[in-house]
Amino acid sequence: DIYFPPAKPASAPVLVFLHGGGNREGDRLQYGYVAEPFAEAGVITVVASYRLQPEHPWPAQRDDAQDVLEWVYGNVGSKGGDRERIFLAGHSAGSRLTSVLSYRSGWLDERSLPRDLIKGAALVSGLSSIPDVEDMPDEALRDEANVLEDIENPPPENIIAVGALEADGGRDGRRLEISEQLARTLRAEGVEADLLVPQG
């Protein structure tokens, strides 16, 4: 789904948003609200769905997200967007997808897309590196989703956000630790990485 600013856009920046839900639930129709503040700021927002598990095991989710970005790059210009200003954001499972697409460039080469297609990435409530992911029994697929081990070609601007309440205990308590590690790794690559921990 594509959400437009109130005024007809011309060369507007574009945000692609990928929802969460553990790769097992969620739909773009639940996330239109994400576009509201961006529309007011003159940004076109694309809110995408992707195939879900268990009917569609990984890497179906990754492949669908790649399809979305390829489509946006090829078509958003005709809708008033600037394909040279595409940003990618995701929440939870969508955050992992965002990291895989933003910090691995092989898929861009395979699709003959520019390596700098993604100008910035925002990861919200993400689990970028969980070695025992239940929905990825295959070790090679776990390695692919574990971007902390092999970041290459990251976009120049990155935001990593974890709610303070998410950082308190249990498996989800690793989100802050992992996000801090990701921010350090990105900075070591020479790009900007802002870590946000909103309180409450």
Side-chain angles (χ1 to χ4, degrees):
D1 293 336
I2 306 175
Y3 296 84
F4 294 94
K8 185 176 181 180
S11 298
V14 181
L15 174 69
V16 177
F17 178 81
L18 303 172
H19 66 76
N23 291 333
R24 295 176 179 274
E25 60 184 10
D27 186 89
R28 66 188 184 278
L29 297 178
Q30 298 169 299
Y31 291 90
Y33 69 89
V34 169
E36 292 180 13
F38 294 102
E40 293 299 323
V43 176
I44 294 173
T45 303
V46 179
V47 182
S49 289
Y50 46 84
R51 288 172 291 172
L52 300 173
Q53 297 173 344
E55 183 178 356
H56 302 284
W58 181 275
Q61 298 76 35
R62 178 208 65 193
D63 294 346
D64 289 353
Q66 291 175 355
D67 288 344
V68 169
L69 280 169
E70 182 175 10
W71 185 92
V72 168
Y73 183 77
N75 293 276
V76 78
S78 66
K79 300 182 181 301
D82 183 353
R83 73 177 192 172
E84 300 302 325
R85 290 194 292 167
I86 296 173
F87 299 82
L88 181 61
H91 169 251
S92 194
S95 174
R96 179 183 291 140
L97 285 169
T98 297
S99 68
V100 171
L101 271 62
S102 299
Y103 307 141
R104 299 279 170 81
S105 58
W107 72 275
L108 294 166
D109 299 335
E110 291 170 2
R111 294 172 181 244
S112 299
L113 295 168
R115 283 185 147 232
D116 65 346
L117 185 152
I118 300 170
K119 298 303 190 291
L123 285 66
V124 181
S125 301
L127 292 167
S128 301
S129 173
I130 294 294
D132 57 348
V133 180
E134 295 176 1
D135 56 12
M136 296 179 192
D138 183 277
E139 184 176 354
L141 297 181
R142 289 201 305 272
D143 289 343
E144 179 187 27
N146 182 359
V147 297
L148 283 175
E149 300 301 324
D150 185 25
I151 288 179
E152 48 95 9
N153 192 45
E157 298 183 37
N158 301 270
I159 296 173
I160 302 133
V162 181
L165 298 178
E166 294 179 285
D168 184 21
R171 173 179 168 178
D172 284 356
R174 294 194 61 201
R175 286 182 176 171
L176 179 57
E177 171 192 344
I178 292 166
S179 296
E180 289 172 338
Q181 184 180 352
L182 177 59
R184 289 193 300 269
T185 303
L186 288 168
R187 291 169 189 152
E189 292 288 325
V191 298
E192 293 186 18
D194 294 329
L195 177 63
L196 308 179
V197 187
Q199 299 301 306

